[in-house]
Amino acid sequence: MPAVKTRSTKIAGRASFYLGVIVLLCICLFPFFIMLMTAFKGSEEAISRNPTFLPKDWTLQHFIDIFNPAIFPYLHYLQNSFIVSVTASVISVGIAIFGAYALSRLNFRGRLAINASFYTVYMFSGILLVVPLFKVIAGLGLYDTKTSLIIVMIVQTLPTAILMLNSYFETIPKDLEEAAKIDGLNRIKVIFYIIIPLSFTGIVSVFVYCFMVAWNDFLFASIFFSGAENFTLPVGLYALFSTPDYVWGRMMAASIITALPVVIMYAISENLIKGNVTDGGVKG
Amino acid sequence: MFKVKRETSDGKLALILLLPSTLLILLLIGYPMLSNFYISFFEQPINPEFPAEFVGFENYIETLTNIDFYKSLGITLLYTLLVVVGSTALGLYVAIMFNRPFRFRKVARSLIILSYVTPSISLIFVWKYMFNSGYGIINYIGRDILHLFDRAPLWFDNPTSAFILVVLFAIWRYFPYAFIAFLAILQTISPTLYEAAEMDGANIWQKFKAVTLPAIMPVMLTVITLRTIWMFYMFEDVYLLTNKVNVLGVYLYETAFAFNDLGKASAISVILFLVISTLIIAIRKKVNLNASS
């Protein structure tokens, strides 16, 4: 029963659809709006009994304060977070490329078993292993070092990185590899000259995934570090939040700057992939 | 069998290429998993200066006879159920909404994913701020604008409201994962299938049941399974938001690092592991049955 749609019902339908999208976005983005606005409010206004949506007096003071080491060790935590996240991601992706290549291209006994075990490990980790990993790290004499977090972050991301890369490699035509082999390239050269360049966007998105996991980790950072010297952003900020003299605007400014690297990286990797894969012909 | 020679040469290379990852995973996941069992039989303080003492099944008995454990298990099951259902349903609904071309779709999609991408710690601060009992915007809206209540509840200090908030937080934070997965699969469904169903006079619900649901079923199964596991051992979000919701992740963490009892914490993680495995098997079986009927 094909309904006859008049012009006005069509317009009404479109309008209600857009209204739905706007309501949805408002709900999704409300906390971000509050975060952003509070970061630009003066300290008094942030704790007013009659909260304002937009700041009465806009100020950049909180952003200046968090980058002032005399007020807030934010820069120090930021640096620690970068060291841990970049190191862990580079190593994890590097190791995963070879592992994923072996799983997607080579014939060997136990391939399926290894694949299945990576998938199992991908599902179970984190809090389930926190006690034994704490003991392993302490046993290795790595307690309260950045190395401890780097190692654990590599292992936390490795199974996923291998599974993700594996599926990217599967999309590369095997003919290309055969042709390269006829031209005299060995397997290792094939990885460097064919596989890595062709799956570059995939590798970037796996890197972003690893970076995000390490950047966001609170659990392991909170048990591996005893002093503020090695604190990454999540533990550092949480420790500050628990003290009585936090300033909301400052915490919001810190939250924004903490989120920025991952959000930017995610946006870039999304666009890279979008540019590579046809979007089903639907443009919007 | 025909390619014995090739297999052996590949095998050697595979061994070399897979060695670093396999070694790391065995060492830092395989070994810890086994050592969890081992530690769970000991009375083991955090400080290595104190010797571990073999206690047999005592950690398990103490855990399984403790009412707090069952409370925590119940809260965790309810939390997992609500978040999995909520985030999957919302993700599917929004994906269906977005499965039609419209202006600014790409921008809207990126904005929706924002909560999923942002680090927990940043989101926790703003939620705590919004729900602050004195000057939070939610209290202002509820009390002064909508007059829903006279006195603002202590949102994160009351077990019931804290529980509702951690569930809402998780749905808000994790539905984009389901949304992305569903949108990707929805875009592969050919519009001709819907047109054919329309020809047969199917209404929206019938079209959803006959065309959409079978097509998205495998993705739905994956989304539900993974989300169930991840929510079941959730620690970070809950721990950072409130100390009034004792999900098993928090219970385990506190047993180990606040109450200085690594052995009992290991016993809890072994139990957790068994419960999750059972859950996964149950989910798989249930959905397989439905799919075949």
Side-chain angles (χ1 to χ4, degrees):
Chain A
M1 36 152 218
V4 184
K5 280 185 183 167
T6 62
R7 205 179 139 75
S8 60
T9 53
K10 246 187 207 168
I11 291 172
R14 275 207 99 54
S16 67
F17 174 76
Y18 276 107
L19 191 69
V21 173
I22 290 167
V23 170
L24 177 75
L25 282 176
C26 284
I27 296 169
C28 288
L29 297 177
F30 186 67
F32 291 97
F33 171 76
I34 296 292
M35 193 195 291
L36 202 61
M37 290 305 116
T38 312
F40 290 109
K41 278 179 195 173
S43 304
E44 287 294 310
E45 199 185 336
I47 53 169
S48 153
R49 291 268 154 182
N50 293 315
T52 47
F53 281 95
L54 295 173
K56 279 186 208 130
D57 300 302
W58 293 74
T59 172
L60 282 173
Q61 196 55 47
H62 300 306
F63 288 93
I64 297 165
D65 286 353
I66 61 168
F67 288 111
N68 180 353
I71 296 179
F72 210 59
Y74 186 82
L75 270 176
H76 185 71
Y77 300 153
L78 188 73
Q79 191 189 343
N80 286 345
S81 271
F82 264 108
I83 292 170
V84 169
S85 306
V86 172
T87 315
S89 313
V90 168
I91 297 174
S92 181
V93 173
I95 295 172
I97 286 173
F98 297 105
Y101 179 82
L103 285 178
S104 76
R105 284 297 199 270
L106 302 180
N107 284 310
F108 58 96
R109 217 174 294 151
R111 194 174 88 149
L112 288 177
I114 290 181
N115 215 355
S117 67
F118 285 164
Y119 198 70
T120 313
V121 163
Y122 162 66
M123 293 195 285
F124 299 102
S125 53
I127 190 83
L128 292 179
L129 295 178
V130 83
V131 171
L133 277 176
F134 175 78
K135 287 208 73 180
V136 170
I137 290 299
L140 292 170
L142 292 172
Y143 181 71
D144 206 15
T145 62
K146 287 189 212 41
T147 314
S148 66
L149 193 58
I150 291 171
I151 292 173
V152 170
M153 286 304 119
I154 292 169
V155 183
Q156 291 289 307
T157 54
L158 196 52
T160 319
I162 290 174
L163 293 173
M164 282 170 82
L165 282 175
N166 193 347
S167 63
Y168 285 116
F169 292 171
E170 296 284 350
T171 64
I172 298 171
K174 296 205 166 61
D175 301 352
L176 276 174
E177 227 179 305
E178 296 302 323
K181 267 192 254 169
I182 292 164
D183 287 346
L185 260 61
N186 64 26
R187 290 277 196 186
I188 302 294
K189 280 190 174 154
V190 163
I191 296 179
F192 281 103
Y193 293 128
I194 311 278
I195 301 288
I196 293 179
L198 283 180
S199 53
F200 180 71
T201 53
I203 291 173
V204 170
S205 66
V206 175
F207 179 88
V208 171
Y209 164 81
C210 297
F211 186 91
M212 276 171 70
V213 171
W215 189 262
N216 296 356
D217 171 76
F218 171 83
L219 173 62
F220 290 105
S222 77
I223 60 164
F224 290 165
F225 301 145
S226 64
E229 182 55 35
N230 289 313
F231 275 3
T232 49
L233 283 169
V235 272
L237 291 179
Y238 186 67
L240 285 168
F241 181 75
S242 321
T243 62
D245 54 2
Y246 58 79
V247 175
W248 277 112
R250 216 182 270 164
M251 298 312 283
M252 294 303 154
S255 297
I256 292 166
I257 304 293
T258 303
L260 226 43
V262 281
V263 171
I264 291 171
M265 284 171 81
Y266 192 82
I268 292 171
S269 77
E270 276 268 288
N271 281 327
L272 272 178
I273 290 160
K274 276 285 151 58
N276 218 21
V277 182
T278 47
D279 205 6
V282 199
K283 289 265 159 75
Chain B
M1 279 297 155
F2 300 106
K3 296 179 185 170
V4 176
K5 202 174 170 194
R6 202 190 141 154
E7 249 179 47
T8 47
S9 68
D10 271 5
K12 213 180 242 172
L13 183 62
L15 186 71
I16 296 166
L17 294 182
L18 275 166
L19 198 65
S21 25
T22 318
L23 212 62
L24 268 173
I25 287 172
L26 278 178
L27 214 68
L28 283 151
I29 293 183
Y31 168 75
M33 268 182 169
L34 293 178
S35 103
N36 237 345
F37 278 102
Y38 180 78
I39 301 168
S40 70
F41 295 111
F42 287 83
E43 166 89 54
Q44 170 85 79
I46 298 176
N47 191 335
E49 306 282 305
F50 293 103
E53 185 197 336
F54 182 80
V55 292
F57 283 96
E58 201 178 288
N59 287 325
Y60 288 95
I61 294 164
E62 272 177 22
T63 303
L64 292 172
T65 52
N66 190 340
I67 186 77
D68 288 343
F69 171 77
Y70 292 98
K71 272 189 196 156
S72 178
L73 180 67
I75 288 170
T76 310
L77 287 173
L78 190 61
Y79 172 75
T80 304
L81 179 77
L82 293 175
V83 176
V84 170
V85 171
S87 64
T88 309
L90 187 60
L92 180 59
Y93 179 79
V94 179
I96 290 172
M97 193 168 158
F98 273 58
N99 190 32
R100 56 184 269 187
F102 64 90
R103 253 149 125 31
F104 309 118
R105 183 168 76 160
K106 221 175 149 184
V107 180
R109 184 184 170 278
S110 306
L111 288 175
I112 283 180
I113 298 172
L114 206 55
S115 64
Y116 186 61
V117 181
T118 306
S120 285
I121 194 79
S122 303
L123 303 173
I124 293 303
F125 286 141
V126 71
W127 272 63
K128 287 220 186 195
Y129 175 65
M130 278 170 22
F131 285 93
N132 182 287
S133 310
Y135 43 77
I137 190 93
I138 300 298
N139 290 325
Y140 179 72
I141 293 172
R143 186 190 58 212
D144 297 322
I145 297 181
L146 300 174
H147 301 288
L148 295 175
F149 41 78
D150 294 335
R151 182 190 283 260
L154 291 167
W155 292 104
F156 285 111
D157 295 319
N158 166 318
T160 312
S161 61
F163 179 76
I164 294 169
L165 287 184
V166 294
V167 169
L168 287 179
F169 179 86
I171 293 175
W172 172 74
R173 173 131 212 243
Y174 298 110
F175 91 85
Y177 171 82
F179 163 67
I180 300 166
F182 286 133
L183 188 60
I185 189 79
L186 283 173
Q187 300 205 327
T188 66
I189 303 175
S190 162
T192 54
L193 287 174
Y194 289 106
E195 282 158 21
E198 236 163 84
M199 291 284 196
D200 294 339
N203 61 27
I204 292 178
W205 170 244
Q206 284 164 333
K207 276 192 280 183
F208 176 77
K209 236 180 113 177
V211 182
T212 313
L213 209 54
I216 64 169
M217 210 51 193
V219 171
M220 180 116 95
L221 176 61
T222 312
V223 167
I224 290 176
T225 310
L226 292 177
R227 184 54 56 211
T228 302
I229 299 164
W230 293 334
M231 293 335 285
F232 197 77
Y233 63 59
M234 170 56 70
F235 160 76
E236 235 156 57
D237 293 357
V238 176
Y239 181 81
L240 294 175
L241 274 174
T242 174
N243 55 8
K244 291 288 182 251
V245 180
N246 223 354
V247 290
L248 284 172
V250 174
Y251 186 69
L252 194 164
Y253 182 89
E254 303 231 293
T255 305
F257 303 105
F259 303 118
N260 192 21
D261 196 340
L262 296 185
K264 199 189 268 178
S266 280
I268 296 169
S269 52
V270 171
I271 297 167
L272 217 69
F273 183 88
L274 294 176
V275 176
I276 296 175
S277 308
T278 318
L279 267 176
I280 295 168
I281 293 164
I283 291 172
R284 292 267 172 197
K285 266 205 178 133
K286 181 131 191 154
V287 180
N288 281 345
L289 277 177
N290 285 346
S292 62
S293 67

